[in-house]
Amino acid sequence: TKGDMESKSVTIPNIDEQNQIGTFFQHLDHLITLHQRKLVKLKKLKQGYLQKMFPKNGSKFPQLRFAGFADAWEQRKLGEITISFDSQRVPLESSTRQSGSYPYYGATGVIDSVNDYIFDGEYVLLAEDGANIVTRTSPIAYLTHGKFWLNNHAHIMKVREGSDYFLLSLLEKIDYSKFNSGTAQPKLNSKTVSGLNVMIPTAQEQMHIAALLRSLDKAIALHQRKLEKLQELKKGYLQMMFC
């Protein structure tokens, strides 16, 4: 109540110290807000490019293209343009996993770390099951780097010709809700994934699109890390500068 708030005892320093502390945190808040705004702008910029650089509404031509590219995009089955490595997946029960330095991937990305690996390199992973197939509240496709282990809850593939990073972006744009074959929970089986119709440009154009999107993702990740560091810094100072 108002009375409870007015009667509550607080510990405060003198006016000069209050002003210095206030100015310090005002500066930190300004930096945090600045990085938040940059992050929002970069994400909107990427979303805009994704909408304009990929054909939509049955078209074979995107709105925005790099100079030198004018050919129509081609409709292909996903299984025709990718190599599947699903047969090499090995699930590990949580009780048998030994902790280590290698990422252990599942439908939602990295879910643990283990002491061994079965894949090494850049691959594209696509969730095989889980509510996110329908809700899409988080990424559904992931790009791997280096050594890792993969269970049987995510499909694994590489593009035959072109860019895996382009494939990653392509898979993220698909609405999978109509391809759900699960009963107890949403699922994308291998046959469904292989038969997905996708529109793709030449390998060279894929590379150009991928380079642009990769640079935007790097900038987004950089500002995200800076934002998190500033937020942690503020939290630490709040703990140390107040009784």
Side-chain angles (χ1 to χ4, degrees):
T1 65
K2 180 173 181 291
D4 289 335
M5 291 300 295
E6 289 178 341
S7 63
K8 185 173 178 63
S9 297
V10 293
T11 304
I12 61 171
N14 60 49
I15 297 297
D16 289 338
E17 190 172 1
Q18 287 183 44
N19 287 334
Q20 289 192 51
I21 293 173
T23 300
F24 177 76
F25 282 109
Q26 189 174 38
H27 177 65
L28 269 180
D29 284 340
H30 175 73
L31 288 175
I32 289 171
T33 300
L34 183 64
H35 282 289
Q36 286 173 330
R37 288 174 180 169
K38 286 183 178 179
L39 196 57
V40 170
K41 285 183 179 179
L42 283 168
K43 287 181 178 180
K44 285 183 177 180
L45 182 63
K46 180 187 175 183
Q47 191 59 37
Y49 278 124
L50 284 172
Q51 290 176 353
K52 294 182 178 181
M53 299 186 78
F54 286 76
K56 55 184 178 181
N57 301 326
S59 173
K60 294 183 178 180
F61 300 90
Q63 289 179 262
L64 185 64
R65 306 189 81 169
F66 287 97
F69 297 101
D71 294 339
W73 286 32
E74 183 181 3
Q75 180 173 289
R76 302 283 297 278
K77 298 288 186 184
L78 187 63
E80 296 173 349
I81 65 169
T82 60
I83 303 170
S84 173
F85 299 89
D86 282 4
S87 62
Q88 299 178 30
R89 301 175 299 178
V90 181
L92 295 174
E93 295 292 335
S94 57
S95 58
T96 63
R97 294 177 209 158
Q98 295 184 28
S99 181
S101 58
Y102 301 109
Y104 181 70
Y105 281 89
T108 57
V110 178
I111 58 174
D112 203 351
S113 57
V114 293
N115 68 335
D116 204 353
Y117 65 93
I118 53 176
F119 293 101
D120 185 4
E122 183 176 276
Y123 295 85
V124 178
L125 309 182
L126 176 67
E128 181 172 344
D129 48 40
N132 191 47
I133 288 173
V134 176
T135 61
R136 298 301 297 274
T137 55
S138 60
I140 196 169
Y142 302 88
L143 193 71
T144 67
H145 301 281
K147 299 176 174 66
F148 65 97
W149 197 290
L150 175 65
N151 66 21
N152 58 354
H153 293 286
H155 299 289
I156 178 169
M157 65 193 82
K158 288 180 70 70
V159 70
R160 291 182 184 275
E161 184 181 9
S163 165
D164 287 321
Y165 210 90
F166 173 86
L167 176 63
L168 173 76
S169 302
L170 185 67
L171 294 177
E172 274 293 335
K173 288 181 62 62
I174 298 174
D175 177 10
Y176 296 96
S177 58
K178 56 187 175 183
F179 304 112
N180 172 30
S181 61
T183 52
Q185 69 168 336
K187 183 177 178 66
L188 295 172
N189 60 46
S190 298
K191 184 178 180 180
T192 298
V193 171
S194 179
L196 289 173
N197 289 314
V198 294
M199 298 292 294
I200 62 165
T202 63
Q204 291 77 15
E205 190 169 3
Q206 289 181 44
M207 295 294 189
H208 279 72
I209 294 171
L212 173 63
L213 296 177
R214 192 188 292 266
S215 67
L216 284 171
D217 281 340
K218 285 183 178 179
I220 288 170
L222 177 64
H223 283 290
Q224 184 67 53
R225 287 194 298 269
K226 287 182 177 179
L227 177 60
E228 290 170 357
K229 285 182 179 179
L230 284 169
Q231 289 171 332
E232 284 298 315
L233 186 65
K234 179 183 176 182
K235 182 179 178 181
Y237 278 123
L238 283 170
Q239 292 175 345
M240 293 186 290
M241 297 179 73
F242 287 79
C243 298

